[in-house]
Amino acid sequence: MKNEQPTVPDDWDEVLEACRPHLAALLDTQRDPTARPVYADDPALHTAGRNRAQLPQQGLPLSRLLESALPDILDRAYCNGAHPQYFGYFHPRPLPVSVLGDAVASLLNQSPAAWRMGPAAAAMEIETLSWVADFIGYPTATDASLPPGIFTSGGSLANLTALKAARDHILGPDAQLRGAGVLGRATVYTSSESHYSIARALDILGMGRRALRVIPVGPDGRIGVDALHRQITADTADGLRPVAVVGLAGATATGAVDPLTELASIAAESGAWFHVDGAAAAVYADLPATRPAFAGLDAADSVTLDPHKWMFLSYGLGCLLVRDPGNLATSFADHAHYWNHDPRDDFVFLGPEGARPWKSLGLWLALRSLGRQGYADLLARNLATAQHLARRVRTTPGLELLCDPVIPICCFRPLTSDGEGSDALTLAVHETLTASGSYYTTICRPGGAPYLRVAINNYTTREEHVDGLVDAVTYARSTLCA
Protein backbone atom coordinates (compact mmCIF):
# COMPACT_ATOMS: atom_id res chain seq x y z
CA MET A 1 0.00 0.00 0.00
CA LYS A 2 1.31 3.43 -0.96
CA ASN A 3 2.56 5.44 1.99
CA GLU A 4 0.61 8.71 1.72
CA GLN A 5 2.36 11.80 2.97
CA PRO A 6 0.89 15.19 3.65
CA THR A 7 1.13 17.74 0.87
CA VAL A 8 4.46 19.56 0.80
CA PRO A 9 3.59 23.12 1.93
CA ASP A 10 5.30 24.76 -1.06
CA ASP A 11 4.27 22.31 -3.78
CA TRP A 12 1.80 24.31 -5.86
CA ASP A 13 1.61 21.64 -8.55
CA GLU A 14 0.40 19.13 -5.96
CA VAL A 15 -2.17 21.65 -4.69
CA LEU A 16 -3.54 22.07 -8.20
CA GLU A 17 -3.61 18.33 -8.78
CA ALA A 18 -5.48 17.72 -5.51
CA CYS A 19 -8.06 20.37 -6.39
CA ARG A 20 -8.63 19.28 -9.97
CA PRO A 21 -11.16 16.47 -9.26
CA HIS A 22 -13.28 18.88 -7.19
CA LEU A 23 -13.20 21.98 -9.37
CA ALA A 24 -16.24 21.00 -11.41
CA ALA A 25 -18.34 20.43 -8.29
CA LEU A 26 -17.21 23.73 -6.81
CA LEU A 27 -17.94 25.67 -9.98
CA ASP A 28 -21.31 23.96 -10.28
CA THR A 29 -22.38 25.55 -7.00
CA GLN A 30 -22.53 28.77 -9.03
CA ARG A 31 -23.22 27.46 -12.53
CA ASP A 32 -26.16 25.31 -11.40
CA PRO A 33 -27.10 26.32 -7.84
CA THR A 34 -30.60 24.84 -8.15
CA ALA A 35 -29.09 21.34 -8.12
CA ARG A 36 -28.80 21.73 -4.34
CA PRO A 37 -31.38 22.76 -1.76
CA VAL A 38 -31.62 26.42 -0.81
CA TYR A 39 -30.53 25.53 2.71
CA ALA A 40 -29.18 22.41 4.41
CA ASP A 41 -28.40 22.07 8.10
CA ASP A 42 -27.57 18.64 9.48
CA PRO A 43 -27.96 18.84 13.30
CA ALA A 44 -25.36 16.10 13.72
CA LEU A 45 -22.70 18.42 12.35
CA HIS A 46 -23.38 20.95 15.11
CA THR A 47 -23.24 18.21 17.73
CA ALA A 48 -19.98 16.87 16.36
CA GLY A 49 -18.46 20.34 16.52
CA ARG A 50 -19.07 20.41 20.27
CA ASN A 51 -16.97 17.32 20.98
CA ARG A 52 -13.83 19.42 21.39
CA ALA A 53 -11.61 16.94 19.62
CA GLN A 54 -7.88 17.52 19.85
CA LEU A 55 -5.89 18.62 16.84
CA PRO A 56 -4.58 15.47 15.10
CA GLN A 57 -0.87 14.89 15.54
CA GLN A 58 -0.34 13.86 11.93
CA GLY A 59 -1.44 15.70 8.81
CA LEU A 60 -3.31 14.27 5.82
CA PRO A 61 -2.78 14.73 2.08
CA LEU A 62 -4.83 17.57 0.65
CA SER A 63 -6.68 15.23 -1.71
CA ARG A 64 -8.06 13.22 1.21
CA LEU A 65 -8.93 16.37 3.14
CA LEU A 66 -11.00 17.73 0.27
CA GLU A 67 -12.75 14.41 -0.22
CA SER A 68 -13.91 14.45 3.39
CA ALA A 69 -14.57 18.17 3.91
CA LEU A 70 -16.42 19.19 0.76
CA PRO A 71 -19.39 16.83 1.23
CA ASP A 72 -19.91 18.27 4.71
CA ILE A 73 -19.78 21.81 3.37
CA LEU A 74 -21.87 21.34 0.24
CA ASP A 75 -24.34 18.64 1.21
CA ARG A 76 -24.81 18.55 4.98
CA ALA A 77 -24.64 22.21 6.00
CA TYR A 78 -24.78 24.68 3.15
CA CYS A 79 -26.35 28.12 2.88
CA ASN A 80 -26.95 28.23 -0.86
CA GLY A 81 -27.02 31.98 -1.44
CA ALA A 82 -26.48 31.47 -5.16
CA HIS A 83 -29.92 29.81 -5.45
CA PRO A 84 -32.44 32.17 -7.06
CA GLN A 85 -34.95 31.21 -4.35
CA TYR A 86 -32.73 32.18 -1.46
CA PHE A 87 -34.43 35.26 0.02
CA GLY A 88 -32.72 35.39 3.40
CA TYR A 89 -30.03 37.68 4.71
CA PHE A 90 -27.84 39.62 2.33
CA HIS A 91 -25.96 36.70 0.81
CA PRO A 92 -25.44 37.48 -2.87
CA ARG A 93 -24.43 35.17 -5.64
CA PRO A 94 -20.96 36.59 -6.33
CA LEU A 95 -20.12 37.90 -9.76
CA PRO A 96 -17.58 35.52 -11.35
CA VAL A 97 -15.17 38.37 -12.07
CA SER A 98 -15.19 39.35 -8.39
CA VAL A 99 -14.30 35.79 -7.35
CA LEU A 100 -11.38 35.97 -9.77
CA GLY A 101 -10.30 39.21 -8.12
CA ASP A 102 -10.37 37.61 -4.68
CA ALA A 103 -8.33 34.66 -5.92
CA VAL A 104 -5.70 36.86 -7.58
CA ALA A 105 -5.44 39.14 -4.55
CA SER A 106 -5.03 36.20 -2.18
CA LEU A 107 -2.42 34.54 -4.36
CA LEU A 108 -0.31 37.69 -4.70
CA ASN A 109 -0.93 38.61 -1.04
CA GLN A 110 -0.80 42.36 -1.57
CA SER A 111 -2.19 44.65 1.10
CA PRO A 112 -3.52 48.16 0.40
CA ALA A 113 -2.92 49.09 4.04
CA ALA A 114 0.26 50.92 3.06
CA TRP A 115 1.73 51.89 -0.28
CA ARG A 116 4.87 49.80 0.14
CA MET A 117 2.82 46.72 1.10
CA GLY A 118 1.13 46.78 -2.30
CA PRO A 119 1.64 49.86 -4.46
CA ALA A 120 -0.78 48.80 -7.19
CA ALA A 121 -3.26 47.57 -4.59
CA ALA A 122 -3.28 50.95 -2.83
CA ALA A 123 -3.53 52.90 -6.09
CA MET A 124 -6.39 50.75 -7.42
CA GLU A 125 -8.18 50.89 -4.07
CA ILE A 126 -8.18 54.70 -4.17
CA GLU A 127 -9.62 54.56 -7.69
CA THR A 128 -12.27 52.06 -6.61
CA LEU A 129 -13.36 54.27 -3.71
CA SER A 130 -13.80 57.17 -6.12
CA TRP A 131 -15.85 55.00 -8.49
CA VAL A 132 -18.14 53.89 -5.65
CA ALA A 133 -18.68 57.49 -4.53
CA ASP A 134 -19.48 58.47 -8.10
CA PHE A 135 -21.90 55.56 -8.52
CA ILE A 136 -24.01 56.56 -5.51
CA GLY A 137 -23.81 60.29 -6.21
CA TYR A 138 -21.80 61.16 -3.12
CA PRO A 139 -19.57 64.24 -3.50
CA THR A 140 -15.90 63.76 -2.71
CA ALA A 141 -13.55 66.41 -1.36
CA THR A 142 -12.09 68.83 -3.85
CA ASP A 143 -8.74 68.28 -2.11
CA ALA A 144 -7.59 64.97 -3.53
CA SER A 145 -4.56 64.63 -1.27
CA LEU A 146 -6.39 61.90 0.67
CA PRO A 147 -8.64 59.04 -0.50
CA PRO A 148 -12.39 59.70 -0.18
CA GLY A 149 -12.77 56.98 2.45
CA ILE A 150 -11.66 53.48 3.33
CA PHE A 151 -12.65 49.89 2.71
CA THR A 152 -13.35 47.70 5.73
CA SER A 153 -14.37 44.11 6.39
CA GLY A 154 -18.05 45.09 6.51
CA GLY A 155 -20.65 47.66 7.47
CA SER A 156 -20.25 47.18 11.22
CA LEU A 157 -16.62 48.28 11.14
CA ALA A 158 -17.46 51.08 8.71
CA ASN A 159 -20.12 52.39 11.12
CA LEU A 160 -17.66 52.17 14.02
CA THR A 161 -15.09 54.12 12.02
CA ALA A 162 -17.62 56.81 11.10
CA LEU A 163 -18.78 57.25 14.70
CA LYS A 164 -15.21 57.50 15.96
CA ALA A 165 -14.53 60.23 13.41
CA ALA A 166 -17.75 61.95 14.50
CA ARG A 167 -16.84 61.67 18.19
CA ASP A 168 -13.38 63.09 17.67
CA HIS A 169 -14.52 65.86 15.34
CA ILE A 170 -17.39 67.08 17.54
CA LEU A 171 -15.76 66.63 20.96
CA GLY A 172 -12.24 67.54 19.94
CA PRO A 173 -8.83 66.06 20.84
CA ASP A 174 -9.80 65.42 24.46
CA ALA A 175 -12.09 62.63 23.30
CA GLN A 176 -9.03 60.72 22.12
CA LEU A 177 -6.67 61.75 24.91
CA ARG A 178 -8.89 61.59 27.99
CA GLY A 179 -11.56 59.15 26.83
CA ALA A 180 -14.30 58.61 29.36
CA GLY A 181 -13.48 61.87 31.09
CA VAL A 182 -15.21 63.87 28.34
CA LEU A 183 -17.65 61.33 26.88
CA GLY A 184 -20.23 61.12 29.63
CA ARG A 185 -22.56 63.77 28.20
CA ALA A 186 -22.37 62.80 24.51
CA THR A 187 -25.46 61.59 22.66
CA VAL A 188 -26.14 59.89 19.31
CA TYR A 189 -29.53 59.61 17.61
CA THR A 190 -30.95 56.95 15.34
CA SER A 191 -34.19 55.10 14.66
CA SER A 192 -35.56 51.95 16.25
CA GLU A 193 -34.84 50.17 12.95
CA SER A 194 -31.12 50.93 13.09
CA HIS A 195 -28.52 48.21 12.84
CA TYR A 196 -27.17 46.73 16.07
CA SER A 197 -23.69 47.91 15.10
CA ILE A 198 -24.57 51.49 16.07
CA ALA A 199 -25.16 50.70 19.76
CA ARG A 200 -22.18 48.36 19.75
CA ALA A 201 -19.96 51.10 18.32
CA LEU A 202 -20.89 53.47 21.15
CA ASP A 203 -20.00 50.74 23.62
CA ILE A 204 -16.61 50.18 22.00
CA LEU A 205 -15.91 53.91 21.71
CA GLY A 206 -16.45 54.46 25.42
CA MET A 207 -19.58 56.58 24.98
CA GLY A 208 -21.79 53.84 26.38
CA ARG A 209 -24.98 52.35 25.01
CA ARG A 210 -27.06 54.76 27.09
CA ALA A 211 -25.72 57.55 24.91
CA LEU A 212 -27.85 56.22 22.08
CA ARG A 213 -31.25 57.85 21.69
CA VAL A 214 -33.52 55.43 19.84
CA ILE A 215 -36.31 57.30 18.06
CA PRO A 216 -39.50 55.40 17.15
CA VAL A 217 -40.43 54.90 13.51
CA GLY A 218 -43.75 55.55 11.85
CA PRO A 219 -45.91 53.02 9.99
CA ASP A 220 -43.63 53.45 6.97
CA GLY A 221 -40.60 52.32 8.99
CA ARG A 222 -38.93 55.75 8.83
CA ILE A 223 -37.66 57.71 11.79
CA GLY A 224 -40.09 60.13 13.40
CA VAL A 225 -38.62 63.54 12.58
CA ASP A 226 -40.72 65.45 15.12
CA ALA A 227 -39.79 62.99 17.88
CA LEU A 228 -36.13 63.32 16.93
CA HIS A 229 -36.28 67.08 17.09
CA ARG A 230 -37.97 66.99 20.50
CA GLN A 231 -35.39 64.57 21.89
CA ILE A 232 -32.43 66.65 20.73
CA THR A 233 -34.02 69.82 22.10
CA ALA A 234 -34.61 68.18 25.48
CA ASP A 235 -31.10 66.72 25.64
CA THR A 236 -29.48 70.01 24.72
CA ALA A 237 -31.49 71.77 27.42
CA ASP A 238 -30.13 69.19 29.89
CA GLY A 239 -26.57 70.06 28.94
CA LEU A 240 -25.93 67.04 26.73
CA ARG A 241 -23.91 67.25 23.52
CA PRO A 242 -25.34 65.76 20.31
CA VAL A 243 -22.44 64.08 18.53
CA ALA A 244 -24.16 62.36 15.61
CA VAL A 245 -27.46 61.81 13.89
CA VAL A 246 -27.57 58.47 12.06
CA GLY A 247 -29.98 58.08 9.18
CA LEU A 248 -30.88 54.78 7.56
CA ALA A 249 -30.61 54.36 3.81
CA GLY A 250 -32.24 50.95 3.70
CA ALA A 251 -33.28 49.38 7.00
CA THR A 252 -32.10 45.79 7.23
CA ALA A 253 -35.54 44.47 8.14
CA THR A 254 -37.93 46.46 5.96
CA GLY A 255 -35.76 48.39 3.51
CA ALA A 256 -37.14 51.74 4.70
CA VAL A 257 -35.14 54.87 3.90
CA ASP A 258 -35.25 57.72 6.40
CA PRO A 259 -36.04 61.32 5.32
CA LEU A 260 -32.37 62.13 4.89
CA THR A 261 -32.79 65.77 3.86
CA GLU A 262 -34.66 66.54 7.07
CA LEU A 263 -32.15 64.63 9.16
CA ALA A 264 -29.30 66.57 7.57
CA SER A 265 -30.99 69.84 8.57
CA ILE A 266 -31.55 68.70 12.15
CA ALA A 267 -27.95 67.53 12.46
CA ALA A 268 -26.68 70.86 11.14
CA GLU A 269 -28.91 72.83 13.51
CA SER A 270 -27.64 70.87 16.51
CA GLY A 271 -23.99 70.96 15.45
CA ALA A 272 -23.88 67.16 15.10
CA TRP A 273 -22.22 64.93 12.55
CA PHE A 274 -24.64 63.42 10.01
CA HIS A 275 -23.89 59.80 9.22
CA VAL A 276 -25.92 57.69 6.80
CA ASP A 277 -25.89 53.95 7.34
CA GLY A 278 -26.46 52.79 3.80
CA ALA A 279 -24.76 49.43 4.23
CA ALA A 280 -27.77 47.69 2.76
CA ALA A 281 -28.93 50.02 0.03
CA ALA A 282 -26.82 53.13 -0.61
CA VAL A 283 -26.00 51.61 -4.01
CA TYR A 284 -29.58 52.52 -5.00
CA ALA A 285 -29.07 56.19 -4.13
CA ASP A 286 -28.40 57.47 -7.66
CA LEU A 287 -30.56 55.20 -9.79
CA PRO A 288 -33.37 57.06 -11.61
CA ALA A 289 -36.18 54.97 -10.07
CA THR A 290 -34.95 55.24 -6.48
CA ARG A 291 -33.05 58.55 -6.40
CA PRO A 292 -35.94 60.55 -4.84
CA ALA A 293 -36.10 58.22 -1.83
CA PHE A 294 -32.42 58.87 -1.08
CA ALA A 295 -32.52 62.66 -1.39
CA GLY A 296 -30.22 64.17 1.21
CA LEU A 297 -27.64 61.40 1.21
CA ASP A 298 -25.23 63.76 -0.54
CA ALA A 299 -25.38 66.05 2.52
CA ALA A 300 -24.00 63.38 4.87
CA ASP A 301 -20.64 63.77 6.56
CA SER A 302 -20.13 60.05 6.07
CA VAL A 303 -21.86 57.14 4.34
CA THR A 304 -21.50 53.42 4.95
CA LEU A 305 -22.22 50.89 2.23
CA ASP A 306 -21.48 47.21 1.75
CA PRO A 307 -20.29 46.08 -1.71
CA HIS A 308 -20.79 42.52 -0.46
CA LYS A 309 -24.54 43.11 -0.54
CA TRP A 310 -26.08 44.62 -3.68
CA MET A 311 -22.82 44.93 -5.57
CA PHE A 312 -22.79 41.12 -5.62
CA LEU A 313 -19.39 40.42 -4.08
CA SER A 314 -18.27 37.70 -1.71
CA TYR A 315 -18.36 38.54 1.99
CA GLY A 316 -15.66 40.69 3.49
CA LEU A 317 -15.92 44.14 1.89
CA GLY A 318 -17.53 47.16 3.52
CA CYS A 319 -16.94 50.78 2.61
CA LEU A 320 -16.97 54.14 4.34
CA LEU A 321 -17.05 57.36 2.34
CA VAL A 322 -16.45 60.70 4.05
CA ARG A 323 -17.06 64.26 2.94
CA ASP A 324 -13.77 65.42 4.47
CA PRO A 325 -11.18 62.62 4.61
CA GLY A 326 -9.06 64.86 6.80
CA ASN A 327 -11.34 63.82 9.67
CA LEU A 328 -10.18 60.21 9.24
CA ALA A 329 -6.56 61.33 9.15
CA THR A 330 -7.07 63.25 12.40
CA SER A 331 -9.03 60.51 14.14
CA PHE A 332 -6.67 57.66 13.27
CA ALA A 333 -3.30 59.41 13.14
CA ASP A 334 -0.57 57.41 14.84
CA HIS A 335 3.08 56.53 14.61
CA ALA A 336 5.65 53.93 15.55
CA HIS A 337 9.45 54.13 15.51
CA TYR A 338 9.62 51.17 13.12
CA TRP A 339 7.07 52.56 10.65
CA ASN A 340 8.59 54.22 7.62
CA HIS A 341 5.79 56.51 6.58
CA ASP A 342 5.14 56.93 2.85
CA PRO A 343 3.37 60.17 1.92
CA ARG A 344 1.63 58.44 -1.00
CA ASP A 345 -1.20 57.05 1.18
CA ASP A 346 -1.08 54.82 4.19
CA PHE A 347 -4.62 53.57 4.74
CA VAL A 348 -3.42 52.13 8.04
CA PHE A 349 -3.62 55.68 9.44
CA LEU A 350 -7.09 56.38 8.05
CA GLY A 351 -9.01 53.64 9.87
CA PRO A 352 -8.90 51.09 12.69
CA GLU A 353 -7.38 48.18 10.77
CA GLY A 354 -3.73 47.47 10.12
CA ALA A 355 -2.69 45.07 7.41
CA ARG A 356 -5.78 43.78 5.62
CA PRO A 357 -6.52 41.77 2.48
CA TRP A 358 -6.99 43.38 -0.91
CA LYS A 359 -10.69 42.60 -1.10
CA SER A 360 -11.42 45.57 -3.34
CA LEU A 361 -9.74 44.05 -6.40
CA GLY A 362 -12.88 42.02 -7.11
CA LEU A 363 -14.94 45.21 -6.95
CA TRP A 364 -12.50 47.05 -9.21
CA LEU A 365 -12.84 44.29 -11.81
CA ALA A 366 -16.64 44.22 -11.48
CA LEU A 367 -17.01 47.98 -11.84
CA ARG A 368 -14.61 48.12 -14.77
CA SER A 369 -16.21 45.18 -16.58
CA LEU A 370 -19.87 46.15 -15.99
CA GLY A 371 -19.58 49.91 -15.98
CA ARG A 372 -22.21 52.18 -14.44
CA GLN A 373 -24.97 50.99 -16.74
CA GLY A 374 -24.27 47.31 -16.25
CA TYR A 375 -24.47 47.61 -12.48
CA ALA A 376 -27.56 49.82 -12.71
CA ASP A 377 -29.28 47.19 -14.86
CA LEU A 378 -28.63 44.43 -12.31
CA LEU A 379 -29.95 46.57 -9.46
CA ALA A 380 -33.01 47.66 -11.43
CA ARG A 381 -33.79 44.03 -12.21
CA ASN A 382 -33.74 43.11 -8.50
CA LEU A 383 -36.02 46.04 -7.69
CA ALA A 384 -38.47 45.12 -10.45
CA THR A 385 -38.64 41.56 -9.12
CA ALA A 386 -39.41 42.82 -5.60
CA GLN A 387 -42.10 45.11 -6.97
CA HIS A 388 -43.60 42.19 -8.86
CA LEU A 389 -43.68 40.19 -5.63
CA ALA A 390 -45.47 43.04 -3.88
CA ARG A 391 -48.12 43.12 -6.61
CA ARG A 392 -48.62 39.36 -6.34
CA VAL A 393 -49.02 39.57 -2.56
CA ARG A 394 -51.44 42.47 -2.81
CA THR A 395 -53.69 40.57 -5.25
CA THR A 396 -53.50 37.16 -3.57
CA PRO A 397 -56.28 36.39 -1.07
CA GLY A 398 -55.03 35.45 2.38
CA LEU A 399 -51.81 37.46 2.20
CA GLU A 400 -51.02 40.91 3.62
CA LEU A 401 -48.27 43.23 2.39
CA LEU A 402 -46.44 45.32 4.99
CA CYS A 403 -45.62 48.17 2.59
CA ASP A 404 -44.49 48.76 -0.97
CA PRO A 405 -40.77 48.04 -1.34
CA VAL A 406 -38.41 51.01 -1.71
CA ILE A 407 -35.47 48.69 -2.34
CA PRO A 408 -35.59 44.94 -3.12
CA ILE A 409 -36.94 43.93 0.30
CA CYS A 410 -40.58 42.87 0.53
CA CYS A 411 -42.30 41.91 3.78
CA PHE A 412 -45.66 40.15 3.99
CA ARG A 413 -47.55 37.64 6.08
CA PRO A 414 -50.30 35.04 5.71
CA LEU A 415 -53.69 35.70 7.26
CA THR A 416 -55.99 33.26 8.99
CA SER A 417 -59.20 32.08 7.35
CA ASP A 418 -60.89 34.94 9.23
CA GLY A 419 -58.56 37.46 7.60
CA GLU A 420 -56.59 38.16 10.77
CA GLY A 421 -52.88 38.27 11.35
CA SER A 422 -51.52 35.38 13.39
CA ASP A 423 -48.02 35.14 14.80
CA ALA A 424 -48.30 31.37 15.08
CA LEU A 425 -49.45 31.00 11.46
CA THR A 426 -46.64 33.20 10.09
CA LEU A 427 -44.01 31.28 12.03
CA ALA A 428 -45.47 27.94 10.99
CA VAL A 429 -45.45 28.94 7.32
CA HIS A 430 -41.85 30.09 7.66
CA GLU A 431 -40.87 26.77 9.21
CA THR A 432 -42.64 24.90 6.41
CA LEU A 433 -40.81 26.89 3.74
CA THR A 434 -37.42 26.32 5.35
CA ALA A 435 -38.01 22.60 5.82
CA SER A 436 -38.91 22.21 2.15
CA GLY A 437 -35.40 23.15 1.06
CA SER A 438 -36.90 25.07 -1.86
CA TYR A 439 -37.27 28.55 -0.37
CA TYR A 440 -35.49 30.46 2.35
CA THR A 441 -36.85 33.63 3.92
CA THR A 442 -36.22 35.26 7.26
CA ILE A 443 -38.55 36.70 9.89
CA CYS A 444 -38.69 40.36 10.88
CA ARG A 445 -40.96 41.94 13.50
CA PRO A 446 -41.79 45.54 12.61
CA GLY A 447 -44.13 46.71 15.35
CA GLY A 448 -43.74 43.35 17.09
CA ALA A 449 -45.70 41.10 14.73
CA PRO A 450 -43.72 38.62 12.62
CA TYR A 451 -43.58 38.99 8.84
CA LEU A 452 -41.89 36.96 6.16
CA ARG A 453 -38.94 39.07 5.00
CA VAL A 454 -37.92 38.50 1.38
CA ALA A 455 -34.69 40.08 0.17
CA ILE A 456 -34.08 39.88 -3.59
CA ASN A 457 -30.28 39.86 -3.44
CA ASN A 458 -29.46 37.58 -6.36
CA TYR A 459 -29.01 38.96 -9.88
CA THR A 460 -30.45 35.74 -11.34
CA THR A 461 -33.72 35.82 -9.38
CA ARG A 462 -36.67 36.36 -11.71
CA GLU A 463 -40.42 36.82 -11.46
CA GLU A 464 -41.07 33.09 -11.75
CA HIS A 465 -39.03 32.47 -8.60
CA VAL A 466 -41.06 34.87 -6.46
CA ASP A 467 -44.26 33.58 -8.09
CA GLY A 468 -43.28 30.16 -6.84
CA LEU A 469 -42.72 31.60 -3.36
CA VAL A 470 -46.22 33.12 -3.30
CA ASP A 471 -47.69 29.79 -4.41
CA ALA A 472 -45.72 27.92 -1.72
CA VAL A 473 -46.83 30.35 1.01
CA THR A 474 -50.44 30.12 -0.16
CA TYR A 475 -50.35 26.33 -0.16
CA ALA A 476 -48.72 26.18 3.30
CA ARG A 477 -51.30 28.64 4.61
CA SER A 478 -54.23 26.63 3.26
CA THR A 479 -52.83 23.42 4.72
CA LEU A 480 -52.18 24.94 8.14
CA CYS A 481 -55.55 26.68 8.25
CA ALA A 482 -57.50 23.57 7.25
Side-chain angles (χ1 to χ4, degrees):
M1 182 176 178
K2 183 180 177 181
N3 183 26
E4 291 183 310
Q5 296 296 324
T7 301
V8 177
D10 202 36
D11 191 339
W12 287 96
D13 290 334
E14 189 168 348
V15 170
L16 290 173
E17 191 61 32
C19 291
R20 200 180 310 277
H22 307 284
L23 283 177
L26 288 169
L27 292 176
D28 280 346
T29 63
Q30 307 301 311
R31 289 186 300 209
D32 186 19
T34 58
R36 286 185 165 82
V38 174
Y39 191 79
D41 186 0
D42 183 352
L45 201 61
H46 180 269
T47 302
R50 293 294 185 271
N51 287 337
R52 311 296 185 191
Q54 291 185 334
L55 175 68
Q57 290 294 322
Q58 301 299 321
L60 288 175
L62 182 57
S63 58
R64 288 178 58 189
L65 288 175
L66 293 176
E67 288 171 3
S68 63
L70 288 178
D72 282 347
I73 297 170
L74 299 179
D75 299 325
R76 296 179 62 191
Y78 182 47
C79 182
N80 190 359
H83 198 295
Q85 290 166 189
Y86 177 87
F87 305 120
Y89 301 107
F90 302 114
H91 193 133
R93 180 179 188 173
L95 293 163
V97 70
S98 75
V99 176
L100 173 63
D102 286 350
V104 170
S106 294
L107 178 68
L108 301 180
N109 199 29
Q110 302 291 283
S111 176
W115 189 270
R116 63 184 175 279
M117 297 173 71
M124 293 172 74
E125 184 145 298
I126 294 169
E127 185 172 48
T128 310
L129 285 163
S130 298
W131 286 351
V132 172
D134 179 66
F135 185 75
I136 70 169
Y138 186 69
T140 55
T142 54
D143 177 10
S145 62
L146 290 171
I150 59 167
F151 284 112
T152 67
S153 60
S156 292
L157 191 56
N159 281 336
L160 172 67
T161 305
L163 289 172
K164 181 181 177 345
R167 184 199 74 174
D168 298 344
H169 178 71
I170 299 299
L171 300 180
D174 275 357
Q176 293 173 272
L177 298 175
R178 294 172 55 205
V182 297
L183 300 180
R185 305 193 70 76
T187 51
V188 172
Y189 303 82
T190 192
S191 89
S192 56
E193 286 294 318
S194 68
H195 194 259
Y196 61 80
S197 62
I198 302 300
R200 181 180 290 176
L202 299 189
D203 183 357
I204 295 171
L205 292 172
M207 299 166 70
R209 292 176 182 253
R210 289 185 178 178
L212 186 63
R213 301 296 193 260
V214 178
I215 309 301
V217 299
D220 58 0
R222 307 201 308 167
I223 191 171
V225 173
D226 290 341
L228 171 63
H229 194 273
R230 287 194 300 270
Q231 185 67 61
I232 291 180
T233 299
D235 286 343
T236 303
D238 286 342
L240 301 180
R241 181 69 184 275
V243 166
V245 173
V246 179
L248 279 181
T252 301
T254 64
V257 178
D258 284 335
L260 302 178
T261 299
E262 295 175 76
L263 297 190
S265 296
I266 292 174
E269 291 171 6
S270 61
W273 181 284
F274 179 39
H275 174 60
V276 171
D277 181 1
V283 289
Y284 278 91
D286 203 33
L287 270 61
T290 48
R291 189 179 295 129
F294 291 84
L297 180 140
D298 58 347
D301 293 297
S302 56
V303 177
T304 288
L305 64 109
D306 275 353
H308 66 207
K309 291 187 171 73
W310 265 297
M311 298 192 88
F312 313 111
L313 269 65
S314 301
Y315 281 134
L317 189 63
C319 178
L320 175 68
L321 299 172
V322 289
R323 175 175 297 279
D324 181 1
N327 286 311
L328 292 180
T330 299
S331 192
F332 292 95
D334 224 318
H335 67 278
H337 70 84
Y338 53 81
W339 189 267
N340 301 311
H341 182 70
D342 192 313
R344 287 175 292 181
D345 294 303
D346 278 353
F347 279 102
V348 69
F349 295 136
L350 295 176
E353 295 180 277
R356 55 185 171 82
W358 185 16
K359 283 290 294 183
S360 64
L361 178 58
L363 179 57
W364 187 93
L365 290 171
L367 285 165
R368 192 64 189 86
S369 62
L370 286 172
R372 172 184 289 275
Q373 192 58 53
Y375 250 121
D377 289 344
L378 293 181
L379 292 168
R381 183 183 300 163
N382 272 185
L383 181 60
T385 303
Q387 292 169 337
H388 173 78
L389 172 59
R391 288 192 295 271
R392 278 295 315 273
V393 170
R394 195 182 296 109
T395 58
T396 300
L399 301 182
E400 180 182 64
L401 184 69
L402 177 65
C403 58
D404 287 318
V406 179
I407 61 172
I409 294 177
C410 183
C411 302
F412 66 99
R413 64 178 177 174
L415 301 176
T416 66
S417 54
D418 296 329
E420 300 293 332
S422 165
D423 293 3
L425 176 60
T426 301
L427 297 175
V429 167
H430 176 258
E431 185 177 346
T432 300
L433 292 175
T434 303
S436 74
S438 298
Y439 300 95
Y440 190 91
T441 70
T442 56
I443 289 288
C444 66
R445 298 176 181 271
Y451 281 75
L452 300 174
R453 173 187 172 275
V454 179
I456 313 296
N457 190 213
N458 185 325
Y459 56 86
T460 66
T461 298
R462 298 289 186 269
E463 292 183 358
E464 62 265 27
H465 300 119
V466 296
D467 284 338
L469 173 66
V470 172
D471 293 342
V473 171
T474 301
Y475 179 77
R477 170 190 172 272
S478 63
T479 302
L480 292 165
C481 289

